[in-house]
Amino acid sequence: MNTAATTAPKILIVGGGYAGFYTAWKLEKHLRRGEAEVTMVDPLPYLTYQPFLPEVAAGSIEPRHAVVAHRRHLKRTTVINAKITGINHAAKTATITGPDGQSWEHAYDQIVVTAGSVSRTFPIPGIADNAIGMKTIEEAVAVRDRVMSNFDRAAALPAGPERDRLLTVVVVGGGFAGIEAFAELRSLASALLKDYPQLSFDDTHFHLIEAMGRIMPEVSLKTSEWVLKDLAKRGAYVHLDTQVTGAVNGNVELSTGETLPSDLIVWTAGVMANPTVVRGGDLPVEERGRIRTRADLRVGTAEAAVEGAWAAGDVSAVPDLSGGGVGGYCVPNAQHAVRQAKLLAKNLVAVLRGEAPRDYLHKNLGAVAGLGLYNGVFQSGNFALKGFVAWLAHRGYHGLAMPTWERKWRVLWGWWNNLWLGRDIVSLEAVQTPRAVFEQFAARPRPPQPVEAAPKKDAPAGPAESKAASDGGKAAAKKPAKKPAKKASASA
């Protein structure tokens, strides 16, 4: 019997996004064989590289190339595709709920909470029913297919309100995620026009709604103003100091009194820590709904750590020791999540070996955004790049930051092909209902036919009739059958 397998500490990683994947990946590198058992739980079998979602929505990157399969690259980690629906750290158990709804308890010695974030919305009428986020690969694909399908439909319609609605895109939120998605979709629409002679540039309408007085707070005011001017040149409208007050039936109502009928509303107005994990556990939570985390990435406060609990990424409130974080904490982005995960893996191994963990300290390197093909913006301190050079910096940075060389090559190969062949403009919206055609033409059993009534029986015979029938039967039995004629027999 292998005693190391039964006595080794059990490490449970909650979530397989940036922070979760990188924590498991680096633990496999730093842990000695048999030193610990690592289990990662996530409902999805892959990591989504979210900076590529706008390019996926614009048809510039193949969707599967923007995700990283857990099982392909985590060879010594047990991967469970399920949800963590409860954490009882006092007992060091977590409740795992599978896709079928069945739940079970999982015991651990060390827990790493990296459950990430979800789209943060507000109770605005119609948003929950009509809008779509830009946080998952599935959402990016759905947005891409909707834009292309709407062009197909609009091209068959005469000019009018319905065609305008199909060709109107509304993006809510002017942060990096919103601006990148907005600019990439505008670039896609402009590129599609050459294949739709029935439509003109003036038929397409793009609106971005931002509640603040500026966009992209991650860059300088001067750079954000350049982005506004660039978008205006490309026929994209940005509504500053404006809020969405309703979106019932796709009619986007603004605080200015304007109404924008649209068939595509993309919501990018902020994120919040995964509420299922945060609210379903007994780990300390700060006022913004994130798990309270120390600078060394252990859960707790600066005065005391919660033994055996760690957190990183968007779900955690990690102090920003560089002084550049909003409210004193690291902002929720991939740059911090990846670096926190790498240090967390080292710190966890250090604690298992009786050594002291180190504090997380990272100064923001800057921000880079793609604004459609051959256009971008880059900001680092007071230094800024704009246009084609910034676009090259954007692709260069994210091409290198994409996890694993296998995925890097797939992305680079796709970019190279698109350079010569152009982006693919085929809509696969029907994949959302893959059995529709099969069901339409599939043969089905005929419905059961009504049972025919049985024929009525004859009335019972009287006594005389019965006697006559009986006598006749006896006579027939006594009378011998006629012999066949010889002549007939011979001829036969």
Side-chain angles (χ1 to χ4, degrees):
M1 179 178 178
N2 186 359
T3 57
T6 58
T7 61
K10 296 179 174 59
I11 301 173
L12 174 63
I13 301 174
V14 182
Y18 294 118
F21 175 82
Y22 271 94
T23 298
W25 206 19
K26 296 304 177 182
L27 281 174
E28 291 190 359
K29 176 181 177 181
H30 299 309
L31 285 170
R32 306 184 187 102
R33 188 166 295 277
E35 189 174 7
E37 297 177 5
V38 181
T39 300
M40 187 176 74
V41 179
D42 191 283
L44 298 174
Y46 50 78
L47 169 157
T48 301
Y49 192 73
Q50 293 182 3
F52 281 157
L53 293 183
E55 289 200 56
V56 171
S60 296
I61 292 180
E62 169 64 27
R64 282 187 174 86
H65 296 172
V67 300
V68 180
H70 291 152
R71 286 182 170 84
R72 178 162 188 169
H73 300 284
L74 300 177
K75 300 301 185 183
R76 294 164 53 194
T77 301
T78 300
V79 177
I80 299 176
N81 292 132
K83 294 181 179 179
I84 295 290
T85 53
I87 297 174
N88 183 358
H89 191 64
K92 290 195 173 181
T93 60
T95 302
I96 300 177
T97 302
D100 58 356
Q102 296 294 321
S103 298
W104 66 94
E105 299 298 313
H106 182 93
Y108 63 82
D109 298 296
Q110 302 279 338
I111 189 169
V112 179
V113 184
T114 55
S117 59
V118 298
S119 295
R120 181 189 62 186
T121 58
F122 306 103
I124 300 171
I127 287 296
D129 300 319
N130 296 292
I132 186 171
M134 189 61 77
K135 282 283 293 177
T136 69
I137 196 70
E138 293 82 5
E139 289 173 329
V141 171
V143 168
R144 180 200 66 184
D145 288 343
R146 177 65 62 86
V147 170
M148 295 176 181
S149 293
N150 282 0
F151 265 72
D152 292 334
R153 297 176 186 128
L157 294 175
E162 179 59 18
R163 193 168 81 172
D164 286 341
R165 186 183 69 85
L166 290 172
L167 298 178
T168 297
V169 175
V170 176
V171 176
V172 185
F176 250 63
I179 291 295
E180 285 193 290
F182 186 60
E184 289 284 356
L185 291 175
R186 173 69 268 185
S187 175
L188 169 63
S190 298
L192 287 174
L193 289 171
K194 68 179 184 298
D195 298 305
Y196 293 85
Q198 306 89 340
L199 305 175
S200 69
F201 182 86
D202 292 335
D203 292 326
T204 60
H205 314 284
F206 281 74
H207 298 268
L208 182 135
I209 317 302
E210 171 52 47
M212 305 294 290
R214 60 163 296 181
I215 60 171
M216 304 175 76
E218 300 90 344
V219 302
S220 68
L221 180 60
K222 182 178 179 181
T223 301
S224 70
E225 290 175 346
W226 179 88
V227 174
L228 284 175
K229 293 177 182 178
D230 181 73
L231 290 171
K233 291 178 183 177
R234 295 155 62 187
Y237 300 94
V238 178
H239 304 255
L240 298 177
D241 294 314
T242 306
Q243 297 177 346
V244 175
T245 58
V248 178
N249 297 325
N251 294 312
V252 182
E253 299 173 3
L254 307 181
S255 57
T256 59
E258 188 177 1
T259 299
L260 304 171
S262 173
D263 194 57
L264 178 57
I265 306 168
V266 182
W267 183 273
T268 63
V271 298
M272 65 178 181
N274 189 320
T276 303
V277 173
V278 172
R279 297 171 188 169
D282 57 355
L283 296 174
V285 179
E286 48 93 64
E287 57 274 8
R288 294 189 62 184
R290 298 173 296 180
I291 294 177
R292 193 176 295 280
T293 310
R294 294 157 48 97
D296 61 9
L297 304 175
R298 288 184 291 181
V299 174
T301 63
E303 292 74 28
V306 177
E307 188 272 329
W310 306 76
D314 292 3
V315 78
S316 64
V318 179
D320 190 342
L321 301 183
S322 71
V326 178
Y329 295 99
C330 296
V331 296
N333 62 22
Q335 192 176 135
H336 280 302
V338 171
R339 287 169 174 79
Q340 288 171 4
K342 292 178 179 179
L343 179 62
L344 192 156
K346 291 181 179 178
N347 281 353
L348 203 163
V349 173
V351 168
L352 291 179
R353 296 173 182 172
E355 302 170 3
R358 295 189 295 109
D359 286 345
Y360 174 74
L361 174 60
H362 171 67
K363 185 172 178 59
N364 195 342
L365 298 177
V368 60
L371 303 176
L373 278 180
Y374 314 123
N375 196 14
V377 63
F378 169 78
Q379 179 92 43
S380 180
N382 295 324
F383 178 73
L385 294 173
K386 307 176 187 72
F388 180 71
V389 176
W391 177 79
L392 289 177
H394 162 76
R395 285 209 161 176
Y397 173 79
H398 286 299
L400 291 174
M402 182 70 182
T404 80
W405 279 104
E406 175 251 340
R407 249 18 186 192
K408 284 181 174 66
W409 281 117
R410 292 183 189 273
V411 170
L412 292 173
W413 184 245
W415 281 340
W416 176 256
N417 286 335
N418 286 350
L419 177 64
W420 306 107
L421 304 176
R423 53 183 133 202
D424 200 324
I425 65 169
V426 175
S427 169
L428 294 178
E429 194 171 30
V431 78
Q432 307 301 324
T433 54
R435 297 187 66 250
V437 176
F438 180 82
E439 289 182 4
Q440 179 182 356
F441 297 103
R444 290 177 170 82
R446 291 184 178 181
Q449 301 298 318
V451 180
E452 296 183 2
K456 294 181 179 180
K457 295 182 178 180
D458 294 337
E465 293 172 334
S466 298
K467 186 175 185 302
S470 176
D471 292 343
K474 291 178 181 178
K478 292 179 180 179
K479 187 177 181 179
K482 290 184 178 181
K483 294 182 180 179
K486 293 183 178 178
K487 185 176 179 180
S489 175
S491 63

